[in-house]
């Protein structure tokens, strides 16, 4: 009982922090249905005359459905490629082979190189492959990420080696070991890869801006820039656009937040 009483200040502090972090989200939602001036003083907590007209404006002012479809297709391609490629790379890094430490150091070194520094080679390679202004070309640079490779590696390292040896004795190939043994035990790593690759692909602005040639291939971040250029008074509509873009990512995180946290903390503790 005394222990529970000592915890109430911690819970109160956590509630206060959560409230502070949720205020911007509430403010965006409130403005998206009221269109109030965000600089008005004193600010109103409860929205005045709420209506969904701003969401309708966003839908018809630009081809929102087309941009949404493009973002969905590119994100799905990115998620599938990340799960397949990162799982294979993570499993390879759990094995013992000559030069393993050099490979690990090379991966860690590459994490410090920003994408902006490699965007010209990425553009040239994509152009040589004839994938510019295509779904595959938009997703190609995000097909694999080093952080997600290490997430799979940490999850696979937690699997007992005896289980892998038993699978080899039963005649399973390395490919089947990955997909039949390792992947069912790495659901948290899969969820982490899905969430991270989706968010990075969904919010990507610079690469679609460079790799697209036609408006029909633009994604939602580019659609947002185009929408702002079309509208003069964008207070309510702009926030409605933000809500429509943020909703899928927030929903995906809420559905897999437990596995996401487990995937990031796998290997952090022992025992």
């Amino acid at each position: 009982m005394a222990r529970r009483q000592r915890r109430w200040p911690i819970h109160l502090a956590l509630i206060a922090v959560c409230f502070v972090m949720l205020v911007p989200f509430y403010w965006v939602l409130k403005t998206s249905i009221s269109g109030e001036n965000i600089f008005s003083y004193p600010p109103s907590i409860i929205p005045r005359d709420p209506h969904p007209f701003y969401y309708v404006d966003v839908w018809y002012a630009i081809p929102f459905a087309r941009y949404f479809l493009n973002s969905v297709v590119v994100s799905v391609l990115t998620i599938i490629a990340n799960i397949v490629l990162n799982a294979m790379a993570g499993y390879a890094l759990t094995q013992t082979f000559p030069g393993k430490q050099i490979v690990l150091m090379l991966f860690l070194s590459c994490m410090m190189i920003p994408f902006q520094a490699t965007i010209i080679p990425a553009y040239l390679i994509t152009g040589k492959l004839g994938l510019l202004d295509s779904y595959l070309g938009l997703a190609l640079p995000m097909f694999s990420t080093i952080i997600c490779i290490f997430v799979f590696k940490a999850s696979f390292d937690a699997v007992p080696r005896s289980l892998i040896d038993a699978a080899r004795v039963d005649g399973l190939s390395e490919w089947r070991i990955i997909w039949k043994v390792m992947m069912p035990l790495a659901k948290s790593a899969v969820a982490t890869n899905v969430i991270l690759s989706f968010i990075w692909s969904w919010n990507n602005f610079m690469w679609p801006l460079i790799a697209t040639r036609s408006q029909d291939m633009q994604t939602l971040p580019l659609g947002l820039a185009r929408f702002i250029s079309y509208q003069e008074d964008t207070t309510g509509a702009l926030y409605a656009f933000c809500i429509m873009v943020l909703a899928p990512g927030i929903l995906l995180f809420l559905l897999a937040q437990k596995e996401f946290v487990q995937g990031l903390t796998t290997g952090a503790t022992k025992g």
Side-chain angles (χ1 to χ4, degrees):
M1 189 65 179
R3 188 176 182 180
R4 290 184 177 179
Q5 291 178 351
R6 289 196 300 267
R7 287 184 175 179
W8 73 265
I10 299 177
H11 293 166
L12 184 62
L14 291 176
I15 292 174
V17 172
C18 291
F19 176 77
V20 173
M21 295 182 66
L22 289 175
V23 166
F25 292 96
Y26 171 74
W27 209 263
V28 172
L29 179 61
K30 180 184 76 71
T31 308
S32 69
I33 60 177
S34 64
E36 300 174 8
N37 190 339
I38 60 176
F39 300 105
S40 61
Y41 185 85
S44 60
I45 304 300
I46 300 176
R48 302 170 183 172
D49 300 326
H51 53 77
F53 297 153
Y54 294 108
Y55 290 89
V56 178
D57 291 341
V58 171
W59 186 268
Y60 288 104
I62 60 172
F64 185 88
R66 178 67 185 184
Y67 295 156
F68 186 86
L69 175 63
N70 294 340
S71 293
V72 169
V73 173
V74 173
S75 297
V76 169
L77 291 175
T78 303
I79 290 172
I80 294 174
N82 270 268
I83 292 176
V84 175
L85 299 178
N86 294 339
M88 292 191 295
Y91 179 75
L93 292 178
T94 62
Q95 308 302 306
T96 301
F97 56 88
K100 177 180 178 180
Q101 296 301 322
I102 297 177
V103 173
L104 290 175
M105 292 299 298
L106 181 62
F107 274 21
L108 293 174
S109 301
C110 291
M111 291 177 63
M112 296 184 291
I113 302 176
F115 177 70
Q116 291 79 0
T118 61
I119 201 166
I120 295 178
Y123 178 83
L124 295 177
I125 293 173
T126 306
K128 291 293 184 179
L129 294 174
L131 298 177
L132 292 175
D133 205 32
S134 67
Y135 290 129
L136 189 59
L138 290 174
L140 184 61
M142 295 175 287
F143 266 12
S144 181
T145 51
I146 298 176
I147 294 177
C148 293
I149 291 176
F150 280 108
V151 169
F152 268 117
K153 179 183 181 301
S155 182
F156 292 161
D157 282 334
V159 177
R161 303 301 302 178
S162 59
L163 185 62
I164 301 176
D165 295 336
R168 289 172 178 162
V169 171
D170 290 339
L172 292 181
S173 62
E174 298 297 325
W175 179 260
R176 294 185 65 187
I177 289 175
I178 296 176
W179 300 108
K180 298 295 184 180
V181 179
M182 307 298 283
M183 293 299 285
L185 299 175
K187 293 181 179 179
S188 58
V190 173
T192 303
N193 271 255
V194 169
I195 293 176
L196 291 180
S197 58
F198 174 82
I199 292 176
W200 291 335
S201 173
W202 191 263
N203 296 330
N204 193 11
F205 176 82
M206 180 173 292
W207 178 248
L209 178 64
I210 297 174
T212 55
R213 293 292 181 270
S214 61
Q215 293 182 354
D216 290 338
M217 291 301 301
Q218 291 182 348
T219 55
L220 282 176
L222 298 182
L224 176 59
R226 183 180 177 186
F227 176 76
I228 295 176
S229 66
Y230 283 177
Q231 301 292 324
E232 296 181 0
D233 185 10
T234 60
T235 301
L238 175 60
Y239 280 70
F241 199 116
C242 293
I243 291 294
M244 297 170 72
V245 174
L246 290 175
I250 295 176
L251 179 61
L252 179 62
F253 175 76
L254 293 177
L255 292 175
Q257 58 178 326
K258 182 179 180 181
E259 291 78 9
F260 177 72
V261 174
Q262 290 177 351
L264 292 179
T265 57
T266 300
T269 58
K270 294 183 179 180

